[in-house]
Amino acid sequence: MDEMTNCFRELIENKDWKTLKQKLNELEPLEIADLIEAVSKSDGIILFRLLPGKSAKETFQYLSHDQQEDIIDGLAANGNRLANLLNDLDPDDRTAFFEELPGKVSQRLVQMLSKEEREIATRLLGYPEDSIGRLMTPEYVAIKPYYTVQEALNHIRRFGHDSETLNVIYIIDDYWRLIDDIRIKELILASPGQVISELTDNRFVALNAYDDQEVAIKVFQDHDRVALPVVDTDGTLLGIVTIDDVMDVAEEENTEDFQKFGGTEGLDVSYTQTSLFKLVQKRAGWLVILFFSEMLTTSAMAYYEHEISKAVILALFIPLIISSGGNSGSQAASLIIRSIALDELKLRNWWYVMRKEILSGLLLGSILGVIGFFRIVVWQKAGFYDYGEYWAWVGCSVAVALLFVVLWGTLSGSMIPFVLKRIGLDPATASAPFVATLVDVTGLIIYFTIAALFLSGKML
């Protein structure tokens, strides 16, 4: 045993973490526990932290109670040394560093760190960037089911000063697995001698540390809570997420969606803090894409150059028609994207939306078509402009074109978000400029096709 102990001490001094981890993997949990007992406290912490998850949990059970406390207290007390150790580890080991700990050790360690060290530890926990694990705080109060109400209240008075919220108290077993939660009001109104387990119903809502932060937004909306517990895959209580943190995330998500819908990439910081170069970089990509897309509009007009040369009057209504189609598409896209974001609409609702938007498009197009026709009539009769001998047919062409272009814009704007969501993209990328550009190109084709039908043999 002494020879093995000396070998591990040398590996730690040489910072040969890779070999150290390999040798630890060759030992049984009981042997590792004996080794940790034999080495110094700081070396024991290093050995323990290099263990894979399953082995760490089994080893922890073999340690004496005092040794368990030493591991927990030592890890928390040496936050700076652990941070330095993380910098020395290979990236894969560093990423899995906290992740491989038993839930009890992990949550106790985070709870005991200073604010600055806790931020460092949280960043290095291995949770994905936009996961709920990045939002949680270890500042909560947990009690055991065998406590009496009076004991629970005494515990809350002792440890509740630094808690993020005391509205809800969490009930855990001896392995820090979440059993239930209870509102502080229920404790205050209960009999002092009543046991906590008598007040529980084992019905609680919890978040998984690895779920996306948008999941937390949805759960908070559905359950109207001010705080929710965060657990790992084993059900171990790791921390809590409060409503103010979730509201901040929701604001960031909404801001990013608005920026995307405006045809720009989401800004990493606020507009006032974004440099001119970064602002141009974020906007240039979409503008270039839309510019090339708009080139198709030029191509479409070139294709109908012969018709335009014969009936120049048709060119007067191009801005009116394609802008109406783009506006209707942008309206539909904004309504559908928002409804999808609020979970009011699912992918399976696409046919319901299509039917509704067909009727909306027909009605809206009819309204604009009638207005457009009477505008031509009024200008012709009042002498404001002479649309020629076939002015009535021109009016009909414009009216029917508006009907179909607005209908097409409405359908495009409502269906594109569903298509993007179906292929796994953010529906917010169906930006207003994107929809408008699509409708511009197709709107020209619709307009000149209808004009050809009405004016063939007359002006064309």
Side-chain angles (χ1 to χ4, degrees):
M1 185 66 186
D2 290 339
E3 182 178 349
M4 183 176 67
T5 302
N6 292 332
C7 175
F8 277 93
R9 283 172 178 162
E10 290 179 5
L11 290 173
I12 293 173
E13 290 176 0
N14 295 329
K15 296 183 178 181
D16 190 355
W17 311 121
K18 185 176 181 180
T19 304
L20 187 61
K21 193 170 184 178
Q22 290 175 347
K23 287 189 172 295
L24 282 172
N25 289 337
E26 297 172 0
L27 301 178
E28 294 295 325
L30 181 58
E31 294 176 307
I32 299 173
D34 292 336
L35 178 63
I36 291 175
E37 294 275 1
V39 299
S40 65
K41 178 181 176 180
S42 59
D43 288 346
I45 294 169
I46 293 173
L47 292 174
F48 187 81
R49 298 306 298 271
L50 290 174
L51 296 175
K54 183 177 180 181
S55 179
K57 291 181 180 180
E58 294 177 357
T59 301
F60 191 78
Q61 294 176 358
Y62 286 111
L63 294 173
S64 66
H65 178 75
D66 291 339
Q67 190 65 41
Q68 288 177 340
E69 291 297 324
D70 287 341
I71 290 290
I72 296 172
D73 295 338
L75 289 173
N78 292 281
N80 290 326
R81 182 177 178 183
L82 290 177
N84 293 332
L85 174 63
L86 285 172
N87 292 324
D88 292 333
L89 287 173
D90 291 334
D92 56 336
D93 288 333
R94 184 170 62 243
T95 300
F97 194 73
F98 277 85
E99 203 170 273
E100 294 178 345
L101 284 174
K104 180 177 180 180
V105 180
S106 179
Q107 66 85 26
R108 284 290 299 275
L109 172 62
V110 175
Q111 187 175 11
M112 296 175 68
L113 291 173
S114 66
K115 180 179 179 180
E116 294 76 16
E117 293 302 325
R118 186 164 61 248
E119 291 175 353
I120 295 173
T122 302
R123 287 196 299 270
L124 297 172
L125 268 173
Y127 299 122
E129 184 176 355
D130 294 321
S131 68
I132 291 172
R134 294 294 185 95
L135 288 179
M136 69 181 182
T137 173
E139 296 176 348
Y140 62 90
V141 176
I143 57 178
K144 302 296 177 64
Y146 47 79
Y147 285 3
T148 63
V149 170
Q150 186 60 56
E151 289 173 337
L153 292 174
N154 292 338
H155 182 83
I156 294 168
R157 293 188 186 97
R158 182 180 178 186
F159 297 102
H161 297 284
D162 297 325
S163 178
E164 185 81 8
T165 176
L166 289 176
N167 289 348
V168 180
I169 308 300
Y170 301 96
I171 304 170
I172 56 172
D173 62 16
D174 291 333
Y175 298 97
W176 283 85
R177 286 190 293 266
L178 182 63
I179 299 174
D180 205 350
D181 56 23
I182 185 171
R183 296 183 184 275
I184 190 67
K185 176 182 177 181
E186 297 178 54
L187 284 178
I188 294 174
L189 296 179
S191 172
Q194 197 169 4
V195 179
I196 295 298
S197 59
E198 297 175 1
L199 303 176
T200 62
D201 56 10
N202 296 321
R203 295 173 60 188
F204 61 91
V205 179
L207 301 169
N208 189 289
Y210 291 93
D211 283 343
D212 192 271
Q213 293 176 0
E214 291 189 4
V215 174
I217 298 173
K218 181 66 169 59
V219 174
F220 269 90
Q221 289 174 340
D222 290 344
H223 296 277
D224 192 26
R225 303 293 292 272
V226 296
L228 283 173
V230 181
V231 298
D232 62 10
T233 52
D234 295 329
T236 301
L237 181 61
L238 302 176
I240 64 171
V241 171
T242 54
I243 186 63
D244 56 331
D245 294 325
V246 173
M247 288 178 66
D248 290 339
V249 173
E251 182 180 355
E252 291 174 4
E253 292 290 338
N254 289 336
T255 300
E256 184 179 359
D257 286 346
F258 276 120
Q259 290 167 350
K260 287 180 178 178
F261 193 71
T264 182
E265 295 181 36
L267 300 179
D268 300 322
V269 293
S270 68
Y271 178 87
T272 56
Q273 294 176 311
T274 303
S275 67
L276 177 61
F277 176 77
K278 198 68 175 178
L279 196 63
V280 172
Q281 183 184 25
K282 291 285 187 181
R283 296 163 67 175
W286 265 109
L287 280 178
V288 171
I289 293 172
L290 294 170
F291 179 78
F292 280 107
S293 300
E294 286 287 2
M295 285 184 178
L296 297 175
T297 305
T298 306
S299 300
M301 291 188 68
Y303 181 81
Y304 291 102
E305 182 182 5
H306 181 68
E307 286 78 1
I308 294 175
S309 64
K310 285 187 175 182
V312 180
I313 197 70
L314 294 177
L316 295 176
F317 300 99
I318 291 176
L320 174 69
I321 291 173
I322 63 175
S323 63
S324 297
N327 291 339
S328 65
S330 299
Q331 282 184 336
S334 62
L335 292 173
I336 300 306
I337 290 171
R338 187 57 181 162
S339 295
I340 291 176
L342 295 174
D343 268 348
E344 295 173 351
L345 292 175
K346 305 289 186 182
L347 280 174
R348 62 177 179 270
N349 301 128
W350 71 271
W351 178 238
Y352 163 78
V353 172
M354 176 175 280
R355 284 181 296 158
K356 197 168 187 176
E357 290 303 317
I358 287 175
L359 293 175
S360 297
L362 288 172
L363 291 173
L364 293 170
S366 298
I367 293 171
L368 296 185
V370 169
I371 294 174
F373 180 80
F374 276 102
R375 191 267 190 193
I376 293 174
V377 172
V378 172
W379 256 245
Q380 180 70 30
K381 296 296 185 181
F384 296 144
Y385 194 89
D386 184 8
Y387 293 104
E389 179 184 359
Y390 300 104
W391 64 267
W393 292 103
V394 172
C396 291
S397 300
V398 171
V400 176
L402 278 169
L403 170 62
F404 283 100
V405 170
V406 169
L407 172 61
W408 170 244
T410 302
L411 281 176
S412 299
S414 61
M415 289 296 105
I416 288 176
F418 282 103
V419 173
L420 291 174
K421 187 172 180 63
R422 181 66 182 84
I423 62 179
L425 298 178
D426 187 351
T429 55
S431 63
F434 177 78
V435 173
T437 301
L438 173 65
V439 177
D440 283 354
V441 179
T442 53
L444 282 174
I445 297 173
I446 293 172
Y447 174 42
F448 284 110
T449 300
I450 291 173
L453 291 175
F454 278 91
L455 300 176
S456 180
K458 300 177 181 66
M459 298 177 67
L460 301 178

